[in-house]
Amino acid sequence: MLRKVGLVALVVLCGAAVVGFQSTRHQAGLGNPRVFVPAPTVYEKLGGSFTVPVADAYWLYTIQYYGEHVNADHRLDSLPALLNLVTGLSPHFTQAYFFGAFALLDAGRADLGYHLLLRGYAANPRDWHFPFYLGFFVYTFGKGAQKDQIAAEYYAQAAKLPGHLPSVPRLAADLYQKGHDREKAIMMWAQVYGQGDKYSREKAVAALDQLLPRDKTARMKAVAALRDLMTPAEFNDFIADIFKGYY
Amino acid sequence: MNQTLAIAINTFKETVRDRILAVIVLFALAMIIASLWLASLSLGQGMRMMRDFGLVAVSLFGLIVAVFVAGNLVHKEVEKRTVFVLFSKPVGRSEFIWGKFLGLAATMFVVVAGMGLFLLVIIWLVAHVLLGSLIVATLLTFVQLAVVMAVTLFFSTFTSAILASVLGVCVFAAGQLSTNVLALSRVGHSALLKGLSWVVFLLVPNLTAIDVKGALAGEGGAHWSTIGGWTAYLLAYIVLCLVGAALVFRRKEF
């Protein structure tokens, strides 16, 4: 009897130790924002036919890393290296470039986002999204008198590639014109909303909230002009996001 | 020919009933299902994750089956002494080796095709896409694993079952890096090093001439003629391994 009780006590004790240890790991807090990221060449040389799955694994890790740090400590020190690794191992992984370019904005590195998109464009010259986003980056974060012209040229390139949105030539044409900067910026961000993942959509909503009129009727009128930049389903989501604080 | 076929059928029946095989396949299927969970974390890249990690599961679990079953195949016959009964009949030793390999290859085909089909169905159920390229990738993975099986069988004719299995895994790993060996043969000024690297490059099976998983993800896709050439190379490598295994096994005394 005593032996049985002792055994049960041992099991309970060991179970408590296991649960206690693991539950304290959960409360361990944020991970280190500076993580070790090997150079892509390491996996290119040693990955054999597993290079793409390694890129996928690092993609999952990059998303987790970004999600963990972006709203907590705002430290994204290793994000450029992680994106460099993922896109280096899988140069045709287009979503990694698009996500990465916008995620790098949170790291305060729009320049790196632009260069990431440039590399993606070089690796995927038939994908219209690259010149489209490059145009957006140049217009929104670029400096200098020539930025409208350069952005318009990127949009014009996007308009020549198969599968582009019908509104892309209109954007190019508008950019070639002088003035109406606020309208242009609204159109750009609305396009980003239509094409982006949930993170870039969040950024687009935040930017548009600043650019659009505060008055509800005026805002509604400005938003209605953006209807042809996205599909009806995207537009419904867009309306819901833009007027979130109004209801 | 009839003897080879009889041994192959018998080996197939024997290995396909193996419980360890069933456990490994179950683990592989669990891994493929687990890729669904990874897909949910991938920010809209679910199909890519399912496809790539699913194919990794097919490759790695197929490798485990290939090396452990192939490593034991000959030794089991010797330990159980069934080989004596077999050789008392008009069965040659090379027929024995070929029959064993073909039987195991049939088992491996069933295993890999089953896992590939399962992955295909999972992707179809989740993403409503029927990936034809996945079938090609699964078949090429089978050919790669057949090479590893042939090499392991060759090693098992003169080493222990465990060592043959370990060497099989090593050859698989070396086969993933064979292009690096080729690069090594081009650097430096030492003629000896260059010559040695070249010999190693020829000896180690080139398992990455086509990056099967990469091609599926749109990275470095291959033309059908390249796929055909590579498959022919791997089949020739298998024949060389089996001829070597038969030669060694012919000299073996029980």
Side-chain angles (χ1 to χ4, degrees):
Chain A
M1 183 63 190
L2 197 67
R3 210 172 151 187
K4 269 187 182 174
V5 171
L7 194 67
V8 169
L10 184 71
V11 169
V12 169
L13 196 71
C14 291
V18 168
V19 173
F21 180 83
Q22 290 296 70
S23 52
T24 51
R25 295 313 93 192
H26 183 67
Q27 294 153 9
L30 273 177
N32 189 349
R34 291 179 76 91
V35 292
F36 171 67
V37 184
T41 11
V42 173
Y43 290 113
E44 277 167 16
K45 296 285 180 199
L46 300 176
S49 65
F50 291 87
T51 310
V52 170
V54 169
D56 292 345
Y58 269 101
W59 165 249
L60 293 173
Y61 180 71
T62 305
I63 296 168
Q64 282 184 22
Y65 172 87
Y66 174 77
E68 187 183 4
H69 290 284
V70 71
N71 291 324
D73 59 359
H74 308 287
R75 292 274 307 271
L76 296 163
D77 308 19
S78 299
L79 187 64
L82 282 167
L83 291 166
N84 189 37
L85 179 61
V86 173
T87 54
L89 294 178
S90 184
H92 299 294
F93 191 177
T94 52
Q95 188 57 35
Y97 295 102
F98 305 143
F99 164 80
F102 283 94
L104 283 166
L105 296 179
D106 290 311
R109 299 303 305 266
D111 57 328
L112 289 182
Y114 175 74
H115 286 292
L116 185 70
L117 287 171
L118 270 184
R119 275 201 290 118
Y121 191 23
N124 305 277
R126 302 293 297 160
D127 191 328
W128 68 272
H129 290 93
F130 285 100
F132 169 80
Y133 282 125
L134 279 164
F136 168 78
F137 264 66
V138 169
Y139 182 81
T140 312
F141 306 107
K143 289 184 176 71
Q146 295 295 307
K147 68 168 192 158
D148 282 27
Q149 183 71 24
I150 296 168
E153 277 164 15
Y154 274 126
Y155 278 106
Q157 284 177 38
K160 284 179 191 159
L161 292 172
H164 67 80
L165 285 178
S167 54
V168 174
R170 179 185 143 195
L171 275 167
D174 284 356
L175 278 171
Y176 278 122
Q177 291 171 1
K178 295 271 177 218
H180 306 291
D181 288 343
R182 178 180 282 260
E183 286 77 7
K184 286 178 193 172
I186 289 171
M187 255 201 318
M188 300 270 187
W189 278 111
Q191 287 271 19
V192 168
Y193 183 94
Q195 292 297 304
D197 54 47
K198 69 167 186 173
Y199 291 113
S200 43
R201 278 189 169 194
E202 280 171 15
K203 288 186 181 64
V205 169
L208 284 165
D209 201 45
Q210 299 296 316
L211 290 165
L212 289 167
R214 302 301 312 164
D215 173 65
K216 191 178 166 185
T217 318
R219 178 171 278 219
M220 187 65 94
K221 199 176 164 189
V223 165
L226 306 171
R227 187 184 286 272
D228 63 334
L229 297 180
M230 43 192 109
T231 64
E234 286 164 357
F235 191 68
N236 286 339
D237 292 342
F238 182 62
I239 293 283
D241 282 337
I242 289 296
F243 289 95
K244 201 171 259 176
Y246 285 76
Y247 298 102
Chain B
M1 188 66 192
N2 281 343
Q3 288 92 331
T4 308
L5 196 67
I7 294 169
I9 292 170
N10 195 50
T11 307
F12 174 71
K13 284 179 180 171
E14 185 192 337
T15 49
V16 95
R17 285 181 196 145
D18 205 328
R19 279 184 192 170
I20 294 172
L21 186 76
V23 170
I24 293 169
V25 171
L26 274 176
F27 261 102
L29 299 185
M31 276 282 287
I32 291 170
I33 291 171
S35 67
L36 284 174
W37 173 70
L38 290 178
S40 68
L41 306 171
S42 64
L43 199 63
Q45 296 301 302
M47 201 175 80
R48 181 187 163 105
M49 298 298 138
M50 278 193 292
R51 185 191 59 200
D52 292 355
F53 288 124
L55 208 57
V56 167
V58 172
S59 283
L60 293 184
F61 285 94
L63 175 70
I64 294 171
V65 173
V67 294
F68 286 104
V69 181
N72 263 315
L73 218 51
V74 174
H75 284 276
K76 214 157 60 176
E77 296 282 352
V78 177
E79 278 168 18
K80 286 184 180 171
R81 301 185 184 278
T82 45
V83 78
F84 301 115
V85 181
L86 205 64
F87 289 148
S88 65
K89 292 176 177 165
V91 175
R93 292 195 178 190
S94 53
E95 286 163 333
F96 174 77
I97 292 288
W98 278 90
K100 282 283 166 195
F101 174 78
L102 290 175
L104 181 56
T107 305
M108 180 55 81
F109 184 79
V110 170
V111 167
V112 171
M115 290 192 288
L117 199 67
F118 185 75
L119 179 60
L120 196 76
V121 170
I122 289 275
I123 290 176
W124 182 72
L125 285 175
V126 174
H128 304 291
V129 179
L130 203 60
L131 277 179
S133 52
L134 187 70
I135 298 170
V136 179
T138 309
L139 288 174
L140 289 175
T141 304
F142 164 71
V143 181
Q144 285 178 314
L145 292 172
V147 171
V148 179
M149 267 168 15
V151 174
T152 310
L153 197 63
F154 169 69
F155 285 130
S156 75
T157 55
F158 58 88
T159 61
S160 68
I162 290 288
L163 188 59
S165 301
V166 171
L167 289 172
V169 174
C170 293
V171 166
F172 179 79
Q176 301 292 321
L177 307 173
S178 68
T179 42
N180 291 356
V181 180
L182 182 65
L184 202 66
S185 72
R186 287 174 184 157
V187 294
H189 300 292
S190 163
L192 182 69
L193 184 70
K194 281 185 180 181
L196 272 176
S197 308
W198 181 247
V199 170
V200 172
F201 179 66
L202 290 182
L203 284 177
V204 172
N206 187 347
L207 300 178
T208 53
I210 296 171
D211 182 359
V212 177
K213 295 174 203 69
L216 204 60
E219 305 289 350
H223 193 264
W224 283 108
S225 59
T226 322
I227 293 175
W230 185 52
T231 308
Y233 157 77
L234 292 179
L235 292 177
Y237 196 93
I238 291 171
V239 171
L240 285 176
C241 286
L242 294 180
V243 169
L247 283 174
V248 175
F249 198 60
R250 210 178 270 178
R251 290 165 183 269
K252 204 167 176 122
E253 287 182 15
F254 300 108

